[in-house]
């Protein structure tokens, strides 16, 4: 897809099941592959056969996952581009509704396969130190179940899948795309120049309080102009997600989402306890810091446009002027930290797997996406030359 910042990526492994020149956006070309996998499963007579079948299934899943990611990346990088929007919506509306039931069929076949028990008994040398929840020291096990996590995820998918949710998930994805498009289009005219809302973040760090207030209020008013549209999107999302959760047998979308995301190691109650701990232990410290900030700035009352400026009224940090400067300086940090990390970041730069600058028409926020078949990451950001941009790239 030409709208991607990167082009054709090196394959992690050559395909052996999925045709190299297949159009992954054409369901008529994908359907026979699912049919072959469904038929072949019954022909597996040994764990080696079943592993071969799983690898072919995984190859198809990775190819589809990467195709979905590529279209999403292109769309978020260019929310104002009709071609990117069309390609993304085509996959969401015409491919995913076909693949989801067929993936579910393969998951059921695997779950009921007579060789599944033998497969789960297979071990693999542990690649790292095992974590424990006890006070005993961590120990490296002699082996760990090779398919334990995969098997758990398949079981989870089978339990959650509902055919009636496929269409609802399509509508959910389309609503999210509408939000990205609306957000990416927001700009303001600030002192004679068109600025994105992200670019306006520079001005709330300036020592001039009147300038900070002007910038903050301009952004707030611009968002309020679209408030009804945003609310409409969110209201529809809430309805859809509540129905999706109810169809899967959950009382609310929160509990459903925890299961869908595979959060097996902590619960909503754990998150609530953490929230309560933040309220009790952290917020008093935050209020104290805000009081100190007000004293340092000589203000009786802090306003929203006073929270990003240096409390000593010093000029804002400007760690870089051009995106390439941020990339090169980040590379220097990684060079000092770890050779493997440094090589990985350099590879991302060389392959153009970084889209970091803010611009009109680009979706808000930041994310890291995995290109499953290439086994490479992609980083999306909206940097404008702030200190927090440096923190974001290091975080991602």
């Amino acid at each position: 897809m030409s709208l991607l910042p990167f082009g054709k990526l090196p394959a992690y492994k050559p395909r052996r099941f999925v045709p190299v020149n297949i159009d992954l956006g054409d369901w008529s070309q994908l359907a026979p592959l699912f049919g072959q996998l469904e038929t072949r499963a019954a022909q597996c007579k040994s764990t080696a056969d079943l592993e071969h079948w799983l690898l072919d299934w995984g190859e198809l899943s990775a190819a589809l996952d990467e195709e979905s990611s590529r279209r999403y990346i292109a769309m978020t990088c260019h929310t104002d581009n009709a071609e990117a929007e069309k390609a993304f919506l085509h996959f969401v509306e015409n491919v995913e509704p076909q693949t989801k039931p067929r993936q579910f069929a393969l998951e059921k076949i695997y779950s009921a396969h007579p060789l599944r028990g033998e497969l789960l008994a297979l071990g693999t040398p542990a690649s790292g130190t095992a974590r424990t929840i006890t006070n005993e020291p961590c120990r490296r096990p002699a082996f760990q179940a090779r398919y334990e996590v995969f098997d758990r995820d398949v079981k989870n998918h089978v339990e959650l899948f509902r055919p009636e949710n496929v269409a609802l998930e399509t509508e959910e994805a389309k609503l999210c795309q509408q939000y990205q498009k609306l957000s990416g289009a927001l700009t303001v005219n600030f002192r004679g120049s068109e600025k994105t809302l992200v670019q306006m973040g520079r001005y709330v760090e300036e020592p001039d309080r009147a300038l900070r207030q002007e910038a903050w209020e301009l952004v707030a008013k611009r968002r309020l102009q679209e408030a009804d549209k945003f609310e409409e999107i969110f209201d529809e999302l809430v309805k859809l997600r509540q129905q999706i959760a109810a169809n899967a047998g959950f009382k609310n979308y929160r509990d459903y989402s925890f299961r869908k995301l595979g959060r097996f190691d902590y619960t909503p109650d754990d998150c609530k306890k953490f929230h309560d701990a933040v309220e009790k232990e952290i917020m008093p410290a935050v209020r104290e810091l805000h009081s100190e900030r007000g004293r340092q700035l000589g203000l009786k009352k802090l306003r929203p446009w006073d929270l990003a400026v240096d409390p000593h009224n010093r000029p804002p940090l400007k760690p870089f002027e051009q995106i390439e400067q941020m990339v090169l300086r980040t590379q220097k940090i990684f060079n000092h930290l770890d050779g493997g990390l440094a090589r990985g970041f350099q590879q991302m730069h060389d392959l153009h797997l970084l889209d970091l600058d803010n611009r009109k028409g680009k979706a808000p926020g930041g994310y890291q996406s995995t290109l499953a078949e290439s086994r490479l990451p992609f980083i999306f950001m909206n940097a404008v030359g702030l200190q927090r941009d440096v923190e974001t790239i290091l975080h991602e």
Side-chain angles (χ1 to χ4, degrees):
M1 190 174 294
S2 59
L3 292 169
L4 288 166
F6 53 90
K8 184 175 177 59
L9 296 171
Y12 181 78
K13 286 185 178 180
R15 290 181 184 174
R16 67 177 189 185
F17 175 65
V18 179
V20 174
N21 296 321
I22 190 174
D23 180 357
L24 293 167
D26 182 358
W27 172 245
S28 67
Q29 296 183 45
L30 292 167
L33 299 180
F34 281 95
Q36 290 178 41
L37 289 170
E38 291 168 4
T39 301
R40 277 177 46 200
Q43 300 169 1
C44 295
K45 304 302 180 184
S46 66
T47 54
D49 291 340
L50 187 56
E51 283 189 294
H52 186 96
W53 180 81
L54 286 175
L55 288 172
D56 287 348
W57 178 18
E59 183 182 293
L60 175 59
S61 298
L64 286 168
D65 188 83
E66 180 159 324
E67 182 67 18
S68 175
S69 295
R70 292 173 72 93
R71 292 175 186 239
Y72 179 82
I73 290 168
M75 182 272 293
T76 54
C77 287
H78 306 280
T79 64
D80 53 354
N81 186 281
E83 180 185 344
E85 179 180 11
K86 181 180 178 181
F88 173 77
L89 291 176
H90 171 81
F91 200 83
V92 166
E93 295 174 331
N94 299 295
V95 179
E96 289 184 343
Q98 300 287 348
T99 60
K100 287 179 180 179
R102 300 297 288 271
Q103 291 281 27
F104 173 62
L106 293 175
E107 289 169 339
K108 287 200 302 180
I109 289 171
Y110 163 78
S111 298
H113 201 281
L115 292 172
R116 173 172 165 248
E118 293 182 34
L119 192 73
L120 292 177
L122 296 177
T124 186
S127 59
T129 303
R131 294 192 318 164
T132 65
I133 309 178
T134 69
N135 292 325
E136 293 294 322
C138 293
R139 291 185 172 86
R140 185 188 298 273
F143 73 93
Q144 59 189 21
R146 180 182 299 175
Y147 292 98
E148 179 181 357
V149 173
F150 169 78
D151 187 82
R152 181 188 66 183
D153 288 345
V154 169
K155 181 175 181 289
N156 191 46
H157 293 162
V158 169
E159 292 175 354
L160 291 181
F161 182 81
R162 300 293 186 277
E164 58 269 31
N165 279 345
V166 173
L168 298 180
E169 289 167 352
T170 298
E171 293 307 308
E172 180 187 23
K174 291 166 65 176
L175 284 170
C176 290
Q177 186 270 333
Q178 291 176 29
Y179 167 81
Q180 302 277 24
K181 185 176 182 178
L182 178 59
S183 299
L186 297 185
T187 63
V188 294
N189 189 293
F190 183 66
R191 299 189 174 185
S193 298
E194 185 181 31
K195 302 285 185 182
T196 68
L197 303 195
V198 176
Q199 289 166 352
M200 293 297 292
R202 296 174 177 176
Y203 301 105
V204 295
E205 293 188 353
E206 292 293 334
D208 184 340
R209 194 179 190 219
L211 174 64
R212 298 200 306 269
Q213 180 176 353
E214 180 186 356
W216 190 92
E217 289 182 340
L218 187 62
V219 169
K221 289 175 182 178
R222 183 66 187 92
R223 287 198 173 106
L224 285 173
Q225 289 175 10
E226 308 297 340
D228 289 343
K229 295 179 182 177
F230 281 118
E231 289 294 332
E232 183 179 345
I233 292 172
F234 282 123
D235 286 345
E236 289 301 314
L237 278 172
V238 168
K239 293 177 185 176
L240 278 174
R241 288 171 172 172
Q242 287 178 334
Q243 188 60 55
I244 288 170
N247 288 346
F250 289 82
K251 294 181 180 179
N252 56 69
Y253 184 74
R254 180 202 65 185
D255 292 347
Y256 168 80
S257 187
F258 258 72
R259 279 288 302 277
K260 182 181 179 183
L261 294 172
R263 291 175 177 167
F264 298 107
D265 298 322
Y266 61 100
T267 68
D269 283 341
D270 292 327
C271 292
K272 185 177 184 303
K273 290 176 183 176
F274 179 73
H275 176 278
D276 293 341
V278 170
E279 181 181 17
K280 179 180 178 182
E281 304 294 339
I282 304 300
M283 289 312 299
V286 171
R287 286 189 282 270
E288 184 177 334
L289 289 171
H290 280 179
S291 295
E292 178 63 19
R293 167 180 283 271
R295 288 192 293 271
Q296 291 171 327
L297 290 171
L299 300 173
K300 292 183 179 180
K301 185 175 183 180
L302 286 178
R303 305 291 292 182
W305 48 85
D306 299 320
L307 301 180
V309 66
D310 180 81
H312 299 289
N313 259 334
R314 293 172 295 193
L317 294 173
K318 294 183 178 179
F320 61 93
E321 293 291 338
Q322 303 296 327
I323 292 297
E324 188 64 18
Q325 291 176 325
M326 182 179 73
V327 173
L328 292 177
R329 292 167 185 176
T330 302
Q331 184 68 57
K332 287 183 179 180
I333 293 174
F334 292 153
N335 290 344
H336 286 287
L337 284 175
D338 180 80
L341 183 61
R343 289 189 295 274
F345 189 73
Q346 184 64 59
Q347 182 187 33
M348 294 180 69
H349 184 213
D350 294 342
L351 294 175
H352 306 288
L353 292 167
L354 305 167
D355 192 310
L356 309 179
D357 61 312
N358 171 254
R359 57 184 177 271
K360 182 181 178 181
K362 188 174 182 180
Y367 64 81
Q368 181 270 319
S369 181
T370 299
L371 298 158
E373 186 176 25
S374 305
R375 299 196 188 182
L376 290 168
F378 170 82
I379 293 179
F380 173 101
M381 274 180 57
N382 276 279
V384 292
L386 303 178
Q387 172 63 22
R388 69 177 182 224
D389 296 329
V390 177
E391 297 165 3
T392 299
I393 187 64
L394 292 173
H395 161 78
E396 294 294 343

